[in-house]
Amino acid sequence: MQILLAQPRGFCAGVVRAIDIVEKALDRYQAPVYVRHEIVHNRHVVDRLRGKGAVFVEDLSEIPAGSVTIFSAHGVARSVQEEAKLRQLPTLDATCPLVTKVHVQGRRYAKGGRDLVLVGHAGHAEVVGTMGQIDAPIHLVSTVEDVEGLPIDPDKPIAYITQTTLSVDDTRSIIAALHARFSDVEGPDVSEICYATQNRQTAVRALARTSDLLIVVGARNSSNSSRLREIGDEMGVPSYLVDDGDGVDPAWLEGVSTVGLTAGASAPDELVQSVIAALGRIRPVEVRTLDGVEEKVEFSLPPELRHPVATPESVE
């Protein structure tokens, strides 16, 4: 059985940065450090960091006074930032720079007097954070049908921003619906939304064209991982989302000669390897990586963490 690996797959630069922030904070400040919300949506990553001394909470009230506090890659509302200041919690912001870019765009559009539309999924951590970062009313839409129901005059100037982990095709359709309904629309091109989301979705389309079965490694609550599985389904390929190799069902492989394998942006490569191992226990496998984009994007750490911790030896 042949296993085809998507290129790219797995960690993006925003996820790498967020995990680095937690690990370097543990090195610099010692355990425990507190993280509001899962740093990224992956149980294995969270459990590994928890084992090193990170404590994950959903509310700042759970954090002892004076404790180092990290905001997750998804971003937080300004009210959370202000509460941390009031409680005098030393904070590190692991918000993905591309999510921060969305916040900046939204504030600029709102300041220009445009009604603001956010394309995203209600309740997702990134959407909650974005809506709380902009001091203006925001209309949330998830589908083309939602656009038709917007309570905005068609002649009023509007602008849109988007959640970074959406299906690129769905987002493109919603943007087209906004342009069809409203006469004055501003917003970023789909190509500006998130390089990692686009690259992984493009790669999974290429993978699905040559696979009998698609397996996506990622968490159930990972929006970008779920989109990858949905793309496979849309292309007519049986597609499954698994946490790791333990999620592989041998029954999926009946009549299958080629398995396409990819991973969401918050899934580490060792989980991909665990799926390969699980498939190899069912049937002999040959693994090949498809051609694709090689990502070289890197995001800098917060200033507080850019320099190594001084040791007695380095001081002498």
Side-chain angles (χ1 to χ4, degrees):
M1 184 169 63
Q2 188 171 55
I3 298 174
L4 298 179
L5 297 177
Q7 172 66 29
R9 63 186 182 278
F11 280 177
C12 63
V15 166
V16 170
R17 176 180 180 270
I19 294 169
D20 280 353
I21 286 173
V22 178
E23 291 181 332
K24 289 184 184 300
L26 286 164
D27 288 343
R28 185 172 295 271
Y29 304 111
Q30 306 305 308
V33 299
Y34 290 80
V35 185
R36 186 188 178 278
H37 194 63
E38 293 183 341
I39 188 68
V40 296
H41 285 156
N42 188 278
R43 174 176 56 84
H44 291 271
V45 171
V46 169
D47 286 348
R48 181 171 60 80
L49 293 172
R50 186 180 283 120
K52 292 184 174 185
V55 179
F56 294 88
V57 302
E58 289 300 319
D59 196 280
L60 295 187
S61 64
E62 302 172 60
I63 300 175
S67 299
V68 172
T69 301
I70 300 172
F71 299 139
S72 80
H74 313 95
V76 298
R78 277 180 166 170
S79 59
V80 175
Q81 295 170 326
E82 289 161 4
E83 182 186 349
K85 282 182 183 176
L86 284 173
R87 294 200 55 218
Q88 298 184 318
L89 296 173
T91 59
L92 295 165
D93 191 354
T95 301
C96 174
L98 296 180
V99 174
T100 300
K101 179 182 174 182
V102 172
H103 299 167
V104 172
Q105 288 173 329
R107 286 194 284 267
R108 176 165 57 82
Y109 291 136
K111 190 174 180 180
R114 291 179 177 271
D115 278 23
L116 198 58
V117 177
L118 171 59
V119 183
H121 295 300
H124 188 276
E126 182 185 328
V127 167
V128 172
T130 297
M131 295 185 79
Q133 276 286 334
I134 300 165
D135 298 326
I138 299 177
H139 303 275
L140 180 64
V141 298
S142 301
T143 64
V144 169
E145 290 72 27
D146 290 342
V147 172
E148 293 305 311
L150 285 170
I152 307 173
D153 188 305
D155 292 324
K156 190 157 188 189
I158 71 160
Y160 63 84
I161 52 176
T162 80
Q163 180 182 334
T164 62
T165 54
L166 299 176
S167 159
V168 173
D169 287 339
D170 288 350
T171 305
R172 189 178 284 115
S173 299
I174 292 170
I175 291 170
L178 289 169
H179 279 282
R181 184 169 173 211
F182 297 97
S183 58
D184 186 352
V185 181
E186 279 194 14
D189 186 80
V190 173
S191 63
E192 296 178 45
I193 292 171
C194 171
Y195 80 92
T197 294
Q198 289 199 79
N199 288 347
R200 279 153 191 71
Q201 291 181 15
T202 299
V204 88
R205 287 187 182 283
L207 193 63
R209 291 188 195 103
T210 54
S211 301
D212 303 316
L213 171 78
L214 177 68
I215 297 177
V216 179
V217 182
R220 304 281 167 188
N221 61 339
S222 166
S223 178
N224 74 86
S225 300
S226 296
R227 297 295 84 73
L228 296 177
R229 185 199 59 76
E230 288 169 3
I231 288 171
D233 278 344
E234 289 165 9
M235 294 185 68
V237 179
S239 303
Y240 301 93
L241 180 64
V242 300
D243 283 326
D244 51 34
D246 291 340
V248 174
D249 184 343
W252 299 344
L253 303 177
E254 288 184 26
V256 168
S257 60
T258 304
V259 176
L261 180 57
T262 189
S266 49
D269 194 60
E270 59 258 32
L271 302 184
V272 174
Q273 297 306 316
S274 77
V275 171
I276 293 173
L279 293 170
R281 287 191 290 272
I282 299 168
R283 202 188 304 170
V285 297
E286 176 186 294
V287 182
R288 181 166 68 88
T289 301
L290 293 185
D291 291 335
V293 175
E294 287 195 28
E295 295 174 345
K296 298 180 180 178
V297 178
E298 292 183 10
F299 294 133
S300 61
L301 295 171
E304 305 96 311
L305 300 177
R306 286 179 196 163
H307 304 292
V309 180
T311 62
E313 291 80 9
S314 65
V315 172
E316 290 173 3

